[in-house]
Structure formats: structure tokens, C-alpha cells
Amino acid sequence: MATDRSDPPLPQAIDAPFDSALSERYLVYALSTITARSLPDLRDGLKPVHRRLLWAMRLLKLDPASGYKKCARVVGDVIGKYHPHGDASVYDAMVRLAQDFALRYPLVDGQGNFGNIDGDNPAAYRYTEARLTQVAMDLMAGLDENAVDFRATYNNEEEEPELFPGLFPNLLANGAAGIAVGMATSIPPHNAAELLDAAMLLVDDRDATDAQVLEHVKGPDFPTGGLVVDSPAAIAEAYATGRGSFRVRARWEVEREKGGGWQIVVTEIPYGIQKNKLIENIAALINEKKLPILADVRDESDAVVRLILEPRSRTVDPQLLMDGLFRLTELENRFSLNLNVLDAQRTPRVLSLRETLAQWVDHQFVVLRRRSEHRLRKIADRLELLGGYLIAFLNLDRVIAIIRTEDEPKAVMMAEFGLTDRQAEAILNMRLRSLRRLEEMELTRERDALTKEQADLELLLSSEQRQKSRLKRDMKKLRERYGPDTPLGKRRTTVAEAAPTRDIPLEAMIEREPITVVLSQRGWVRALRGHLELASAETMKFKEGDGPAFAFHAQTTDKLLLAAENGRFFTLAADKLPGGRGFGEPVRASIDLDGSVAIVALLKARVDTKLLVVATDGRGFVVPVGEVLAETRKGKTVLTPRLDARLKLVRRIGANDDYVAAIGDNRKLLVFPLGELPEMARGQGAQLQRYRDGGLADATTFVFSAGLSWPMGGDRGRTRSEADMGPWRAARGAAGRMPPTGFPRDNRFYNLD
């Protein structure tokens, strides 16, 4: 039915701009998410759902000494009385409180399937049972002593504590994680004994420095163990600012086998990592051959983690293998630190470790005073009753007579003996068996003990130093339960600085196999399996009008250098070369080289060697191989030839070579010391030999004392040597003289490359 626009607005309608109404409501939602769901309270380290779970279990009397009850019963009480949300989310929160691989100090003792480190789901709550742990009882200690405030539940039918007062440092001991609106928190678990030591330091000295606190708190202590490998400076910086991260590695060891073999055994994995997914990731690396030095991974875990990593061969370096796994898998990960919590005023703040502990200590002083004041009130109430009982015993006959003869004995006793209403009522309710003489003696002893306790508590409340001593004594007593010599309190995570993982050499990432590289005259490249006879390259199939240009043996782990006549050098990965079937593929498809530019050289890149590069006009220099390696398709300019010149040759310089031999098109040979050539990364270089006509034909390096050798030609592959090269020795840039008798007519030196 249509609505008449002239009708008056509904009484509950609010006339407001849409954007302001939306922003106000979203702000309310955001604050609710921050304070009531996502961020833990600094004082007890709990979110409301966890606090309500433990409170409900306490009311069900599920203490560590009692039997277990079905989790369905607990979840039902929680969602029915305190937390009106979904049962699945509440049960998930309860499960996490019981998982010893998720919480450093579990708050729930579960019986049944509560999931595992593999990532398997827990059983339904109708099948599992639970009760509280001693840690939870320590966290809730003082709830019956007015240590904290209570508030009404959502339906005003019950009461629940606003927080827990116990002395256990739960926020930092168990850590927390959560995502709110515009903010998040991430706190790693720590060792409770270390936290209590630091807290006792802050009890004595509220202004202790961050460095003093870190003398006690070494770093995170994860329930799954592992190693924190950050430097002390990095850890200190993270704790001082409340923001940072910790690099966590798996714990591993080498297990030797008979016959010299070995395998790596991983016994602890980083916190929060599912073991099954970790194994799947490692297996994928093996199947995809991304880490060929790893042969297999097996899971031999039972109650404890035991992952077996088998190397490809016994010659593999175990540390290198683990460095590769640390880089490629979650055997190393980072756990972020964001100490964003709700402080005592329920305000979200990012605090340092010292500030967090200091504010928690301040809260414990408040709890101590409130518990002491509550106890004083209880003592005063009891002393009032004891005073009345003792008056009754001193005047027992008269009291009995009043009760027997008076219609209103209460008023008479109050008037005659100066009793209060509570005292007179208690006397009238006293049992006859309490009138024995022994009871009077017990009442006297109780009064004296309570009077002494009352005096001690009054002194405690009046003295800040006494409060410090009392709090430290309570902390020491609690520390005994979680000390480093106890199974629960023993530190599990080792904090020790380690070097960053090494860059994995190429040969570790690629399966090493022998190949024969062949490049044709027209630039078609292929890699044949195995080391074939190089002479067979002449008989291989090539496209019509094509033939072999370069052929040599290599390994799939090698890098290859391709030099073009314009002076640019390109780097090829041997494992990426096309196979030996067919004619191969054009090498220019993988590099940016114009088809009109000729290829001068193709050779293996040995980083520890140097190259002799010379242009057709006889100018050249020495360049380390490491300077010519290129990471991109465009390559790297090395030689910049002058006008009308081009790169002529690239020769590898032997380790002991000390002289250069150059021969021109005019068949003049010159020998000069290698040291006369400059070593450069880029340029034109210096003049090797002077020419009147033509240019450079060939050049090489050699050991002067051994002489110079060259091929004689023919099928026998014989060589000829000239031991004394003194007649051809001159300064660099000379013209030279005719070569020795028998030197090849094509003016080419014998070349191993």
C-alpha cells in the first residue's frame, strides 16, 4: 500500500545526514570489535570468549582434580549464559586453549581428539571432554576475594568477571593474535619463569630499562620449539618498540648411517606451521626439481615431530641443503610482533615489552590491595561473631536463662551484654554441642590468630615496601611451579644468532648433467646429452647452407658467454638450452641480438678466470669473467670498437699465462708481456700490434718459458712447438716479424676453447 508523503514521521525515526549516521554506527561497530573481540586485555591476556569459557568451566567445578565433562556442556553454558554467539566459534576457541602445540601453557585439559600439528580438525564437541589446567586456576586465583569487578551478563541474569586477577602472566606467556578494524595484534609466547623474573625486577625498580628487562627475557618461547636466529640487537629493537618480527627456524640434526651415508632429521618446526602442508611443499620442490640436491622427504612422526630429509648424494653439504630449504619452504618463517593490547583503561595501545610488564605489575599491586582489603572485611566480620561467642561463654548461665525465660531474648541480650544484632543472632543460632569447654578454647585461638592476621594486613596496606615484598614472595612461589627445571617450564625455543641463509649456488638448484653444446654458423643452438666426440659436430644435421660454428663440452649447471661482433656479451643458462633433437632453436630468440650482427664466440663462463678481448683493428684488453656476466636479455657492452672495427676474438687466459702472441693479416707475429695490456671492465683497450695494411688475424696468451704451439693440420691432429719465442718478443704495439717455419697459413693459433 502506498504511503502518503504528508503522513507525520514515525516517532522512532531520526532525521540525520546519511554519511554522519553511517560513520557513527560504523565507529560503534569498530570499537566493539576492538575491545570485545580482537584485542586481549593487558591484565589477563584474554579476549572475552576465552574469559567466559574459563569462567563457565570454573562454575561447573571442572578444576584439575575433578573429572572431565563433555565440551558440549561447556559450550552450551557459555553461549546460553555469557557469550551469545555461534557454538562453532566458541568451540574453536576452546579447542585452541587445549592444544599444547598452539598454547605454550594450555588453559584447558582436553580428553579426546583436539586436532594435531598436521592441521587435522578436532572431533565434534559431543565427543570430547575437558577440564581446567593448573595454569587456568592460577590465572583465576582471587576471583572469590573481590580482586576484580563483576558485571551483568548480556541478559542480566548472571554475573561475570571483567577480567581475571591471577598472578600468572598470561598475555606474554601464551601470546595472542587478532585482527580488528584498522588494527591488529600479534604477540608470541614467552617463558613464564623469565617473565616472572623480569616482573620481580620491575617490582623493585619501576623505571628499569629495556636492556635490564631483556637480561631476563631472552626472547620468544614457542610451544613447538625451534630456534630464533635474530641478532640480540634486532630482538632488543623489536621489544623496545613493540613492533618487529622474529626469524624462526626448524631444529635439525644430521643422522649418520652405516657406510658413510647420512640423512637430516627435523625434530621441531616453526610455530604455527602445519606439518602436512610443510611436507607437501618440500615434496613439490623435489618433483619440480627446484632443489635437486634433495632426494626425498619422509614423515616418521608419532607423538614427536620427526621429518627425514634424504640428500641426493653423500657429498652434499648438509648446511647448504638446509639453507636451500630455509629459503624455499616454511622450515624458516617470520613471526611478527605487534604488542597492541588494551591497557587498564581499555584503550588500545602498542607498548614495549617493558611497558607491558610494568603495567601488568601495576595491576598486580591493585589486585593485592583489593584481596587484602577483602580479607580484612572478612576478618572483621568473623571477629565480630567470635566476640559475641566469647561473651556468651563467659555468661553462659545467664544467656541460657534469658533464652528460657524471655519472650524476646535477642533484644534482652543485646541490651544486657552490649551485643550487636549479628552477634545476638549468631548466639541464638548456636548449637548445643558448641557449648563444650573445648569449643571456647578453639574460639580463643581463632580470635588471636585472626587478630594477628588483621594487624599484618593493616601493616601491609600501609606500607608500599611490604606490598613489594609480598608480591615478590608470591611470584617466587609461582615461579617454582613453572621454573626451568620443570617439564612445563623448561625453555623450548633456543635463542641464538645465526648467519643469514647463503645464496644457493646454481649447481644446487639444477641437476648436474653432462651436455655437448653446438652453435651453428647461422645461430641455431642445441644441447645434446652426454659428452660426445666434438668431431661428430661436423656430421650433425643442419639446415641447408648451415654448419657448425662452436662445439664444446659443458654441464647443465654452467653459464655460457656469447660474444657478438658489436662488443656486447650475453649470458646463457646451459640448462635452458633446447635439446639435441632437430636443428635446435635460434639463439637470438632468448637474447636481444639483431640478425645482422655476427656471433664471435661462445664459451663457458668460469668466474675465476679472465678473458682476452681484441677488435679487428688490434685494440684490446683483459677483462675478468665476472665483469661480463649479464642478467638480462640485452646483455652487457664490454668492448666499444672504433669506427669500422668490430670484435674479432675472445680468448680465455690460462692461469699461468704471462705473454700475449698476436698475428696480423700481414702475417707478422708479435709477442709481448701480458702485463702490458690493461685490465678493464669496458672500453676500447690498448693497441696490441701495429699494422700498415689489414688488421688483426688472431691472438692468444701462453707461458713464455714453455714456448708456443700450433696445429700442423691433417687428420692426425699433431701440433708443432717453438720453444724459444725470444726473436719475436718486443714491446706492445710493435709491428712484429714473420712467424716460425711451419706456422699455419690461415694465421690461426691453436685454441683449446
Side-chain angles (χ1 to χ4, degrees):
M1 185 177 71
T3 303
D4 188 355
R5 292 181 179 271
S6 62
D7 291 342
L10 297 175
Q12 67 269 25
I14 300 174
D15 186 9
F18 179 75
D19 56 347
S20 62
L22 183 62
S23 62
E24 289 173 5
R25 283 155 179 76
Y26 187 76
L27 181 60
V28 172
Y29 161 73
L31 291 175
S32 172
T33 302
I34 292 169
T35 59
R37 291 193 185 184
S38 301
L39 299 189
D41 193 296
L42 176 146
R43 294 166 290 180
D44 63 2
L46 295 175
K47 301 176 186 178
V49 62
H50 302 131
R51 194 177 296 116
R52 288 162 177 167
L53 273 164
L54 299 179
W55 174 244
M57 294 179 71
R58 185 177 188 271
L59 294 183
L60 288 171
K61 302 187 184 305
L62 293 178
D63 56 80
S66 67
Y68 295 88
K69 273 190 172 65
K70 287 287 186 181
C71 292
R73 170 68 188 279
V74 177
V75 173
D77 275 15
V78 171
I79 64 177
K81 295 181 179 180
Y82 312 108
H83 198 71
H85 295 272
D87 59 337
S89 62
V90 173
Y91 182 54
D92 287 344
M94 183 179 182
V95 164
R96 188 177 184 278
L97 295 180
Q99 292 175 334
D100 58 1
F101 56 88
L103 253 65
R104 178 63 179 83
Y105 300 92
L107 301 174
V108 172
D109 178 11
Q111 183 170 266
N113 176 16
F114 278 80
N116 54 40
I117 199 171
D118 285 334
D120 297 332
N121 293 326
Y125 55 40
R126 61 182 178 274
Y127 301 121
T128 56
E129 299 176 332
R131 63 184 179 187
L132 294 169
T133 64
Q134 183 60 49
V135 181
M137 301 304 292
D138 290 335
L139 183 59
M140 291 187 284
L143 281 176
D144 296 330
E145 302 173 42
N146 193 38
V148 293
D149 293 331
F150 280 69
R151 64 187 172 200
T153 56
Y154 72 97
N155 57 7
N156 293 319
E157 293 181 358
E158 304 278 346
E159 279 192 335
E160 61 176 336
E162 292 186 357
L163 69 153
F164 289 160
L167 201 55
F168 183 78
N170 185 63
L171 174 70
L172 292 170
N174 275 324
I179 299 175
V181 178
M183 61 180 64
T185 186
S186 178
I187 305 171
H190 295 80
N191 188 272
E194 295 177 4
L195 294 173
L196 290 170
D197 288 338
M200 285 186 275
L201 168 69
L202 291 168
V203 169
D204 284 332
D205 183 7
R206 182 63 169 75
D207 298 322
T209 64
D210 293 296
Q212 290 175 305
V213 170
L214 290 184
E215 290 178 4
H216 300 285
V217 182
K218 305 303 180 185
D221 189 18
F222 297 105
T224 54
L227 294 87
V228 173
V229 295
D230 290 300
S231 66
I235 294 175
E237 175 68 18
Y239 280 136
T241 60
R243 295 184 186 274
S245 64
F246 300 101
R247 193 156 50 104
V248 187
R249 286 184 183 175
R251 192 183 301 275
W252 60 280
E253 60 185 16
V254 176
E255 193 175 83
R256 301 291 175 179
E257 299 174 336
K258 292 182 179 179
W262 57 272
Q263 61 186 14
I264 289 176
V265 180
V266 177
T267 55
E268 296 173 2
I269 61 176
Y271 178 62
I273 303 302
Q274 294 182 3
K275 179 160 62 68
N276 272 358
K277 289 187 176 180
L278 177 63
I279 295 172
E280 290 174 3
N281 293 339
I282 297 175
L285 287 180
I286 298 173
N287 294 334
E288 297 169 7
K289 296 185 178 181
K290 291 185 177 179
L291 192 62
I293 57 176
L294 179 62
D296 192 18
V297 57
R298 298 194 311 275
D299 185 8
E300 296 182 357
S301 307
D302 44 30
V304 296
V305 174
R306 181 178 169 85
L307 301 183
I308 306 299
L309 302 171
E310 290 187 1
R312 179 68 63 183
S313 69
R314 66 180 64 180
T315 60
V316 171
D317 180 4
Q319 185 61 56
L320 179 64
L321 174 56
M322 291 307 298
D323 281 349
L325 288 168
F326 288 150
R327 278 181 173 270
L328 299 172
T329 70
E330 290 185 314
L331 282 173
E332 175 182 313
N333 74 339
R334 284 195 172 273
F335 190 95
S336 63
L337 171 69
N338 184 10
L339 257 169
N340 190 9
V341 295
L342 300 176
D343 63 13
Q345 288 73 42
R346 305 283 294 168
T347 303
R349 295 176 58 193
V350 177
L351 303 174
S352 68
L353 176 68
R354 184 192 63 79
E355 291 171 333
T356 304
L357 274 172
Q359 291 199 23
W360 178 78
V361 168
D362 292 343
H363 167 64
Q364 292 305 320
F365 276 111
V366 173
V367 170
L368 176 61
R369 288 191 289 268
R370 290 189 59 157
R371 292 179 71 174
S372 300
E373 291 166 355
H374 173 78
R375 179 61 181 161
L376 277 175
R377 289 192 293 271
K378 290 291 186 182
I379 290 175
D381 290 345
R382 182 61 178 167
L383 286 176
E384 180 185 358
L385 296 181
L386 290 175
Y389 290 149
L390 290 173
I391 290 174
F393 276 105
L394 290 175
N395 304 277
L396 185 58
D397 292 338
R398 177 59 183 154
V399 168
I400 293 174
I402 291 173
I403 294 173
R404 292 183 62 186
T405 59
E406 297 291 339
D407 293 334
E408 296 291 339
K410 181 177 179 181
V412 175
M413 284 192 298
M414 291 175 62
E416 186 170 336
F417 301 113
L419 299 175
T420 65
D421 184 87
R422 289 184 67 244
Q423 288 175 326
E425 189 68 31
I427 292 171
L428 291 174
N429 292 330
M430 185 184 297
R431 294 181 180 181
L432 289 175
R433 69 172 59 184
S434 300
L435 299 178
R436 57 194 175 94
R437 180 67 180 170
L438 184 61
E439 188 72 18
E440 181 184 0
M441 297 172 61
E442 290 177 356
L443 290 174
T444 303
R445 282 196 297 268
E446 183 182 356
R447 182 194 62 184
D448 294 341
L450 288 176
T451 303
K452 182 179 183 304
E453 184 181 356
Q454 184 182 46
D456 291 340
L457 288 173
E458 289 173 347
L459 285 174
L460 176 67
L461 289 172
S462 64
S463 170
E464 183 180 352
Q465 189 57 44
R466 286 178 179 269
Q467 293 175 29
K468 290 182 178 180
S469 299
R470 173 64 180 273
L471 193 56
K472 285 173 60 180
R473 185 172 74 241
D474 293 345
M475 287 181 175
K476 286 179 181 177
K477 185 176 180 181
L478 185 67
R479 188 188 184 282
E480 292 176 1
R481 186 174 295 158
Y482 304 104
D485 54 343
T486 63
L488 184 59
K490 182 180 179 182
R491 172 167 270 280
R492 301 178 187 178
T493 300
T494 302
V495 180
E497 184 178 4
T501 54
R502 293 175 290 176
D503 289 333
I504 307 172
L506 182 63
E507 54 267 22
M509 302 298 293
I510 303 168
E511 193 165 359
R512 184 180 175 89
E513 294 179 353
I515 56 173
T516 300
V517 180
V518 178
L519 180 67
S520 75
Q521 298 168 3
R522 293 185 175 179
W524 287 69
V525 67
R526 50 185 142 166
L528 297 91
R529 288 189 175 183
H531 285 169
L532 309 179
E533 289 291 337
L534 296 180
S536 64
E538 300 288 341
T539 61
M540 289 181 184
K541 291 183 178 180
F542 294 91
K543 287 181 175 291
E544 185 176 352
D546 200 2
F550 302 94
F552 55 88
H553 295 154
Q555 302 288 336
T556 51
T557 54
D558 287 334
K559 292 282 190 181
L560 307 181
L561 287 177
L562 185 147
E565 64 178 3
N566 61 0
R568 294 191 72 84
F569 278 62
F570 303 87
T571 305
L572 305 175
D575 64 305
K576 299 293 192 300
L577 296 178
R581 292 184 179 181
F583 303 113
E585 295 179 3
V587 72
R588 288 178 171 83
S590 56
I591 59 176
D592 291 343
L593 181 63
D594 190 86
S596 61
V597 181
I599 296 172
V600 175
L602 180 67
L603 67 161
K604 289 183 289 186
R606 298 173 185 169
V607 180
D608 57 343
T609 61
K610 299 178 181 180
L611 301 176
L612 174 67
V613 292
V614 189
T616 53
D617 60 358
R619 298 184 69 86
F621 55 90
V622 175
V623 59
V625 170
E627 296 289 344
V628 302
L629 290 173
E631 300 294 335
T632 63
R633 289 172 53 95
K634 294 182 179 181
K636 180 182 289 188
T637 298
V638 178
L639 182 75
T640 54
R642 294 191 296 182
L643 189 64
D644 296 332
R646 64 185 186 280
L647 179 63
K648 176 66 176 180
L649 59 90
V650 179
R651 294 283 184 267
R652 193 187 312 279
I653 299 174
N656 299 318
D657 290 353
D658 55 358
Y659 268 72
V660 178
I663 189 167
D665 294 329
N666 58 6
R667 201 169 169 76
K668 294 290 182 71
L669 175 65
L670 172 67
V671 173
F672 62 89
L674 178 61
E676 294 184 6
L677 267 185
E679 184 173 312
M680 306 167 60
R682 176 177 177 174
Q684 293 181 351
Q687 194 71 44
L688 274 69
Q689 188 178 14
R690 177 168 45 84
Y691 313 105
R692 179 174 297 176
D693 299 313
L696 179 79
D698 201 1
T700 190
T701 59
F702 67 102
V703 179
F704 187 80
S705 60
L708 192 63
S709 300
W710 58 85
M712 294 181 62
D715 298 334
R716 298 184 180 181
R718 292 183 299 172
T719 62
R720 181 172 177 177
S721 299
E722 182 67 38
D724 182 14
M725 295 301 297
W728 290 270
R729 178 177 174 178
R732 176 184 59 79
R737 57 183 294 184
M738 298 301 290
T741 304
F743 192 82
R745 300 304 302 175
D746 61 359
N747 296 337
R748 295 289 186 269
F749 295 106
Y750 180 64
N751 181 30
L752 291 176
D753 284 332

